[in-house]
Amino acid sequence: MNQPPMLRIQVPATTANLGPGFDSLGIALGLYLTIEASRAERWEVCIDCKELKGLPADETNYLVRMAQKAAAFFGAEMPPCRLVVKSEIPLARGLGSSASAIIAGIELANAFCDLQLDDAKKMCFASMEEGHPDNVGAALYGGLAVGIQGEGDAEVVSLPVVGAEAIITIPAFELKTEKSRSVLPEKLAFRQAVSASAASNTFVAAVCAGNWALAGRMMEKDQFHEPYRGELMPYFADVRKIARESGAYGTAVSGAGPTIITLANLEAVPAICRALEKAFPDMSVKHVPLVNYGSLVQFEK
């Protein structure tokens, strides 16, 4: 079996939903999970960042479990490795930390088990594991990932994003996806669902046309999840108002929250960041680029 002596994997953070694109839209962000991997006698995970401090250093680590699960799914057995892990992606903040780990696990299994998977097969496993294709699609392909979850597969299209930047407003607390999903309704009225879907469709069309002002307005017309999750994020409306007054295109809950994402042109970014930092001194406000590439794998000797 052709196994690399050293492997470097980089997977971007992601933001999902973007307002009305619930469980179907995601964008790759310029924050990264980076792993250096090499064969070893036993599993060893070296955490080299504050974001992941305290996570397991052995085979119970989520990255290891994903690599093992991906290998088994494709009929192989994952050999033990030494992993040096760095991450700029905060956990449980709605920035795709679990999706990045899933994609990294697939890339580890693909390389060390010589699976020779194409992106479609990687996406199949990733979407089944995550339960929806938005975050994992953006983490794998980059750009704006537009997808639908099927029975045992997913259809995802990646579109390039040009002309907008992201500002993320990150509270100090975590919000588990399970809790964020627990407040959602089981049903929507037909007319409301039609209106909500139209906003999502128009958002995608606006991004394709480079009309970010229209895309921003559609971001703020969600009816699927934000009206219900707002009670878990009482600061959300104020972040949106301040960002808009400072020149933003639009603002939405990032994934399941609690992070809020704002899209704007580059010239407006400094003013928006200053306004949000002044209004929310206890939160972290960061300018992050949108990126048009997903996971990167480098083999080193």
Side-chain angles (χ1 to χ4, degrees), residues 215-229:
R217 293 198 295 274
M218 292 304 103
M219 282 179 72
E220 300 190 355
K221 288 186 176 293
D222 171 63
Q223 300 177 58
F224 287 122
H225 70 116
E226 289 180 350
Y228 311 99
R229 285 172 165 168

mmCIF file with all atom_site columns, all heavy atoms in Angstrom, residues 215-229:
data_model
loop_
_atom_site.group_PDB
_atom_site.id
_atom_site.type_symbol
_atom_site.label_atom_id
_atom_site.label_alt_id
_atom_site.label_comp_id
_atom_site.label_asym_id
_atom_site.label_entity_id
_atom_site.label_seq_id
_atom_site.pdbx_PDB_ins_code
_atom_site.Cartn_x
_atom_site.Cartn_y
_atom_site.Cartn_z
_atom_site.occupancy
_atom_site.B_iso_or_equiv
_atom_site.pdbx_formal_charge
_atom_site.auth_seq_id
_atom_site.auth_comp_id
_atom_site.auth_asym_id
_atom_site.auth_atom_id
_atom_site.pdbx_PDB_model_num
ATOM 1   N N   . ALA A 1 215 ? -28.218 40.203 -2.419 1.00 0.00 ? 215 ALA A N   1
ATOM 2   C CA  . ALA A 1 215 ? -27.945 39.011 -1.609 1.00 0.00 ? 215 ALA A CA  1
ATOM 3   C C   . ALA A 1 215 ? -28.080 39.335 -0.124 1.00 0.00 ? 215 ALA A C   1
ATOM 4   O O   . ALA A 1 215 ? -28.636 38.549 0.652  1.00 0.00 ? 215 ALA A O   1
ATOM 5   C CB  . ALA A 1 215 ? -26.543 38.477 -1.913 1.00 0.00 ? 215 ALA A CB  1
ATOM 6   N N   . GLY A 1 216 ? -27.572 40.503 0.273  1.00 0.00 ? 216 GLY A N   1
ATOM 7   C CA  . GLY A 1 216 ? -27.674 40.911 1.673  1.00 0.00 ? 216 GLY A CA  1
ATOM 8   C C   . GLY A 1 216 ? -29.106 41.100 2.127  1.00 0.00 ? 216 GLY A C   1
ATOM 9   O O   . GLY A 1 216 ? -29.469 40.724 3.253  1.00 0.00 ? 216 GLY A O   1
ATOM 10  N N   . ARG A 1 217 ? -29.926 41.650 1.271  1.00 0.00 ? 217 ARG A N   1
ATOM 11  C CA  . ARG A 1 217 ? -31.341 41.821 1.643  1.00 0.00 ? 217 ARG A CA  1
ATOM 12  C C   . ARG A 1 217 ? -32.014 40.465 1.803  1.00 0.00 ? 217 ARG A C   1
ATOM 13  O O   . ARG A 1 217 ? -32.861 40.280 2.699  1.00 0.00 ? 217 ARG A O   1
ATOM 14  C CB  . ARG A 1 217 ? -32.070 42.662 0.587  1.00 0.00 ? 217 ARG A CB  1
ATOM 15  C CG  . ARG A 1 217 ? -31.605 44.110 0.536  1.00 0.00 ? 217 ARG A CG  1
ATOM 16  C CD  . ARG A 1 217 ? -32.606 45.007 -0.180 1.00 0.00 ? 217 ARG A CD  1
ATOM 17  N NE  . ARG A 1 217 ? -32.755 44.670 -1.591 1.00 0.00 ? 217 ARG A NE  1
ATOM 18  C CZ  . ARG A 1 217 ? -31.978 45.125 -2.567 1.00 0.00 ? 217 ARG A CZ  1
ATOM 19  N NH1 . ARG A 1 217 ? -30.940 45.908 -2.285 1.00 0.00 ? 217 ARG A NH1 1
ATOM 20  N NH2 . ARG A 1 217 ? -32.213 44.794 -3.823 1.00 0.00 ? 217 ARG A NH2 1
ATOM 21  N N   . MET A 1 218 ? -31.655 39.505 0.955  1.00 0.00 ? 218 MET A N   1
ATOM 22  C CA  . MET A 1 218 ? -32.243 38.168 1.062  1.00 0.00 ? 218 MET A CA  1
ATOM 23  C C   . MET A 1 218 ? -31.753 37.454 2.321  1.00 0.00 ? 218 MET A C   1
ATOM 24  O O   . MET A 1 218 ? -32.485 36.668 2.923  1.00 0.00 ? 218 MET A O   1
ATOM 25  C CB  . MET A 1 218 ? -31.900 37.335 -0.181 1.00 0.00 ? 218 MET A CB  1
ATOM 26  C CG  . MET A 1 218 ? -32.557 37.828 -1.460 1.00 0.00 ? 218 MET A CG  1
ATOM 27  S SD  . MET A 1 218 ? -34.368 37.955 -1.364 1.00 0.00 ? 218 MET A SD  1
ATOM 28  C CE  . MET A 1 218 ? -34.574 39.727 -1.168 1.00 0.00 ? 218 MET A CE  1
ATOM 29  N N   . MET A 1 219 ? -30.509 37.717 2.731  1.00 0.00 ? 219 MET A N   1
ATOM 30  C CA  . MET A 1 219 ? -29.991 37.139 3.970  1.00 0.00 ? 219 MET A CA  1
ATOM 31  C C   . MET A 1 219 ? -30.880 37.467 5.156  1.00 0.00 ? 219 MET A C   1
ATOM 32  O O   . MET A 1 219 ? -30.990 36.692 6.102  1.00 0.00 ? 219 MET A O   1
ATOM 33  C CB  . MET A 1 219 ? -28.585 37.679 4.265  1.00 0.00 ? 219 MET A CB  1
ATOM 34  C CG  . MET A 1 219 ? -27.464 37.075 3.479  1.00 0.00 ? 219 MET A CG  1
ATOM 35  S SD  . MET A 1 219 ? -25.878 37.837 3.911  1.00 0.00 ? 219 MET A SD  1
ATOM 36  C CE  . MET A 1 219 ? -25.582 37.169 5.556  1.00 0.00 ? 219 MET A CE  1
ATOM 37  N N   . GLU A 1 220 ? -31.511 38.619 5.092  1.00 0.00 ? 220 GLU A N   1
ATOM 38  C CA  . GLU A 1 220 ? -32.288 39.101 6.238  1.00 0.00 ? 220 GLU A CA  1
ATOM 39  C C   . GLU A 1 220 ? -33.779 38.808 6.108  1.00 0.00 ? 220 GLU A C   1
ATOM 40  O O   . GLU A 1 220 ? -34.607 39.400 6.799  1.00 0.00 ? 220 GLU A O   1
ATOM 41  C CB  . GLU A 1 220 ? -32.011 40.593 6.421  1.00 0.00 ? 220 GLU A CB  1
ATOM 42  C CG  . GLU A 1 220 ? -30.527 40.858 6.674  1.00 0.00 ? 220 GLU A CG  1
ATOM 43  C CD  . GLU A 1 220 ? -30.217 42.278 7.102  1.00 0.00 ? 220 GLU A CD  1
ATOM 44  O OE1 . GLU A 1 220 ? -31.134 43.127 7.121  1.00 0.00 ? 220 GLU A OE1 1
ATOM 45  O OE2 . GLU A 1 220 ? -29.037 42.546 7.435  1.00 0.00 ? 220 GLU A OE2 1
ATOM 46  N N   . LYS A 1 221 ? -34.140 37.876 5.199  1.00 0.00 ? 221 LYS A N   1
ATOM 47  C CA  . LYS A 1 221 ? -35.542 37.502 5.015  1.00 0.00 ? 221 LYS A CA  1
ATOM 48  C C   . LYS A 1 221 ? -35.822 36.056 5.411  1.00 0.00 ? 221 LYS A C   1
ATOM 49  O O   . LYS A 1 221 ? -36.806 35.462 4.977  1.00 0.00 ? 221 LYS A O   1
ATOM 50  C CB  . LYS A 1 221 ? -35.955 37.726 3.548  1.00 0.00 ? 221 LYS A CB  1
ATOM 51  C CG  . LYS A 1 221 ? -36.095 39.198 3.160  1.00 0.00 ? 221 LYS A CG  1
ATOM 52  C CD  . LYS A 1 221 ? -36.637 39.347 1.754  1.00 0.00 ? 221 LYS A CD  1
ATOM 53  C CE  . LYS A 1 221 ? -36.862 40.813 1.406  1.00 0.00 ? 221 LYS A CE  1
ATOM 54  N NZ  . LYS A 1 221 ? -37.943 41.412 2.220  1.00 0.00 ? 221 LYS A NZ  1
ATOM 55  N N   . ASP A 1 222 ? -34.969 35.487 6.239  1.00 0.00 ? 222 ASP A N   1
ATOM 56  C CA  . ASP A 1 222 ? -35.168 34.093 6.625  1.00 0.00 ? 222 ASP A CA  1
ATOM 57  C C   . ASP A 1 222 ? -36.447 33.897 7.441  1.00 0.00 ? 222 ASP A C   1
ATOM 58  O O   . ASP A 1 222 ? -36.789 34.704 8.307  1.00 0.00 ? 222 ASP A O   1
ATOM 59  C CB  . ASP A 1 222 ? -33.995 33.584 7.461  1.00 0.00 ? 222 ASP A CB  1
ATOM 60  C CG  . ASP A 1 222 ? -34.291 32.221 8.052  1.00 0.00 ? 222 ASP A CG  1
ATOM 61  O OD1 . ASP A 1 222 ? -34.471 31.279 7.272  1.00 0.00 ? 222 ASP A OD1 1
ATOM 62  O OD2 . ASP A 1 222 ? -34.383 32.119 9.285  1.00 0.00 ? 222 ASP A OD2 1
ATOM 63  N N   . GLN A 1 223 ? -37.146 32.797 7.150  1.00 0.00 ? 223 GLN A N   1
ATOM 64  C CA  . GLN A 1 223 ? -38.312 32.402 7.933  1.00 0.00 ? 223 GLN A CA  1
ATOM 65  C C   . GLN A 1 223 ? -38.206 30.966 8.446  1.00 0.00 ? 223 GLN A C   1
ATOM 66  O O   . GLN A 1 223 ? -39.117 30.486 9.115  1.00 0.00 ? 223 GLN A O   1
ATOM 67  C CB  . GLN A 1 223 ? -39.586 32.531 7.080  1.00 0.00 ? 223 GLN A CB  1
ATOM 68  C CG  . GLN A 1 223 ? -39.857 33.940 6.579  1.00 0.00 ? 223 GLN A CG  1
ATOM 69  C CD  . GLN A 1 223 ? -41.069 34.020 5.690  1.00 0.00 ? 223 GLN A CD  1
ATOM 70  O OE1 . GLN A 1 223 ? -42.176 33.650 6.098  1.00 0.00 ? 223 GLN A OE1 1
ATOM 71  N NE2 . GLN A 1 223 ? -40.881 34.480 4.458  1.00 0.00 ? 223 GLN A NE2 1
ATOM 72  N N   . PHE A 1 224 ? -37.092 30.311 8.124  1.00 0.00 ? 224 PHE A N   1
ATOM 73  C CA  . PHE A 1 224 ? -36.932 28.915 8.513  1.00 0.00 ? 224 PHE A CA  1
ATOM 74  C C   . PHE A 1 224 ? -36.438 28.740 9.947  1.00 0.00 ? 224 PHE A C   1
ATOM 75  O O   . PHE A 1 224 ? -36.913 27.866 10.668 1.00 0.00 ? 224 PHE A O   1
ATOM 76  C CB  . PHE A 1 224 ? -35.944 28.210 7.578  1.00 0.00 ? 224 PHE A CB  1
ATOM 77  C CG  . PHE A 1 224 ? -36.481 27.942 6.205  1.00 0.00 ? 224 PHE A CG  1
ATOM 78  C CD1 . PHE A 1 224 ? -35.840 28.446 5.090  1.00 0.00 ? 224 PHE A CD1 1
ATOM 79  C CD2 . PHE A 1 224 ? -37.622 27.178 6.017  1.00 0.00 ? 224 PHE A CD2 1
ATOM 80  C CE1 . PHE A 1 224 ? -36.315 28.200 3.812  1.00 0.00 ? 224 PHE A CE1 1
ATOM 81  C CE2 . PHE A 1 224 ? -38.117 26.925 4.748  1.00 0.00 ? 224 PHE A CE2 1
ATOM 82  C CZ  . PHE A 1 224 ? -37.455 27.439 3.639  1.00 0.00 ? 224 PHE A CZ  1
ATOM 83  N N   . HIS A 1 225 ? -35.459 29.552 10.375 1.00 0.00 ? 225 HIS A N   1
ATOM 84  C CA  . HIS A 1 225 ? -34.842 29.260 11.674 1.00 0.00 ? 225 HIS A CA  1
ATOM 85  C C   . HIS A 1 225 ? -34.563 30.488 12.531 1.00 0.00 ? 225 HIS A C   1
ATOM 86  O O   . HIS A 1 225 ? -34.685 30.438 13.752 1.00 0.00 ? 225 HIS A O   1
ATOM 87  C CB  . HIS A 1 225 ? -33.560 28.441 11.479 1.00 0.00 ? 225 HIS A CB  1
ATOM 88  C CG  . HIS A 1 225 ? -32.428 29.199 10.866 1.00 0.00 ? 225 HIS A CG  1
ATOM 89  N ND1 . HIS A 1 225 ? -31.242 29.447 11.523 1.00 0.00 ? 225 HIS A ND1 1
ATOM 90  C CD2 . HIS A 1 225 ? -32.297 29.778 9.650  1.00 0.00 ? 225 HIS A CD2 1
ATOM 91  C CE1 . HIS A 1 225 ? -30.426 30.120 10.734 1.00 0.00 ? 225 HIS A CE1 1
ATOM 92  N NE2 . HIS A 1 225 ? -31.045 30.340 9.594  1.00 0.00 ? 225 HIS A NE2 1
ATOM 93  N N   . GLU A 1 226 ? -34.175 31.605 11.946 1.00 0.00 ? 226 GLU A N   1
ATOM 94  C CA  . GLU A 1 226 ? -33.776 32.751 12.758 1.00 0.00 ? 226 GLU A CA  1
ATOM 95  C C   . GLU A 1 226 ? -34.892 33.314 13.644 1.00 0.00 ? 226 GLU A C   1
ATOM 96  O O   . GLU A 1 226 ? -34.613 33.712 14.784 1.00 0.00 ? 226 GLU A O   1
ATOM 97  C CB  . GLU A 1 226 ? -33.189 33.846 11.863 1.00 0.00 ? 226 GLU A CB  1
ATOM 98  C CG  . GLU A 1 226 ? -31.835 33.476 11.297 1.00 0.00 ? 226 GLU A CG  1
ATOM 99  C CD  . GLU A 1 226 ? -31.228 34.540 10.404 1.00 0.00 ? 226 GLU A CD  1
ATOM 100 O OE1 . GLU A 1 226 ? -31.950 35.508 10.060 1.00 0.00 ? 226 GLU A OE1 1
ATOM 101 O OE2 . GLU A 1 226 ? -30.050 34.416 10.057 1.00 0.00 ? 226 GLU A OE2 1
ATOM 102 N N   . PRO A 1 227 ? -36.145 33.351 13.185 1.00 0.00 ? 227 PRO A N   1
ATOM 103 C CA  . PRO A 1 227 ? -37.192 33.848 14.091 1.00 0.00 ? 227 PRO A CA  1
ATOM 104 C C   . PRO A 1 227 ? -37.324 33.039 15.374 1.00 0.00 ? 227 PRO A C   1
ATOM 105 O O   . PRO A 1 227 ? -37.779 33.554 16.400 1.00 0.00 ? 227 PRO A O   1
ATOM 106 C CB  . PRO A 1 227 ? -38.466 33.739 13.237 1.00 0.00 ? 227 PRO A CB  1
ATOM 107 C CG  . PRO A 1 227 ? -37.988 33.803 11.830 1.00 0.00 ? 227 PRO A CG  1
ATOM 108 C CD  . PRO A 1 227 ? -36.675 33.070 11.838 1.00 0.00 ? 227 PRO A CD  1
ATOM 109 N N   . TYR A 1 228 ? -36.924 31.774 15.325 1.00 0.00 ? 228 TYR A N   1
ATOM 110 C CA  . TYR A 1 228 ? -37.069 30.889 16.479 1.00 0.00 ? 228 TYR A CA  1
ATOM 111 C C   . TYR A 1 228 ? -35.787 30.841 17.317 1.00 0.00 ? 228 TYR A C   1
ATOM 112 O O   . TYR A 1 228 ? -35.842 30.729 18.544 1.00 0.00 ? 228 TYR A O   1
ATOM 113 C CB  . TYR A 1 228 ? -37.445 29.481 15.998 1.00 0.00 ? 228 TYR A CB  1
ATOM 114 C CG  . TYR A 1 228 ? -38.587 29.520 15.007 1.00 0.00 ? 228 TYR A CG  1
ATOM 115 C CD1 . TYR A 1 228 ? -38.339 29.439 13.636 1.00 0.00 ? 228 TYR A CD1 1
ATOM 116 C CD2 . TYR A 1 228 ? -39.894 29.695 15.436 1.00 0.00 ? 228 TYR A CD2 1
ATOM 117 C CE1 . TYR A 1 228 ? -39.374 29.516 12.715 1.00 0.00 ? 228 TYR A CE1 1
ATOM 118 C CE2 . TYR A 1 228 ? -40.938 29.768 14.524 1.00 0.00 ? 228 TYR A CE2 1
ATOM 119 C CZ  . TYR A 1 228 ? -40.668 29.680 13.166 1.00 0.00 ? 228 TYR A CZ  1
ATOM 120 O OH  . TYR A 1 228 ? -41.694 29.774 12.262 1.00 0.00 ? 228 TYR A OH  1
ATOM 121 N N   . ARG A 1 229 ? -34.647 30.936 16.659 1.00 0.00 ? 229 ARG A N   1
ATOM 122 C CA  . ARG A 1 229 ? -33.376 30.882 17.380 1.00 0.00 ? 229 ARG A CA  1
ATOM 123 C C   . ARG A 1 229 ? -33.008 32.224 18.012 1.00 0.00 ? 229 ARG A C   1
ATOM 124 O O   . ARG A 1 229 ? -32.085 32.293 18.819 1.00 0.00 ? 229 ARG A O   1
ATOM 125 C CB  . ARG A 1 229 ? -32.266 30.442 16.426 1.00 0.00 ? 229 ARG A CB  1
ATOM 126 C CG  . ARG A 1 229 ? -32.328 28.959 16.108 1.00 0.00 ? 229 ARG A CG  1
ATOM 127 C CD  . ARG A 1 229 ? -31.353 28.552 15.032 1.00 0.00 ? 229 ARG A CD  1
ATOM 128 N NE  . ARG A 1 229 ? -31.182 27.097 15.012 1.00 0.00 ? 229 ARG A NE  1
ATOM 129 C CZ  . ARG A 1 229 ? -30.573 26.425 14.042 1.00 0.00 ? 229 ARG A CZ  1
ATOM 130 N NH1 . ARG A 1 229 ? -30.071 27.078 12.997 1.00 0.00 ? 229 ARG A NH1 1
ATOM 131 N NH2 . ARG A 1 229 ? -30.456 25.120 14.107 1.00 0.00 ? 229 ARG A NH2 1
#
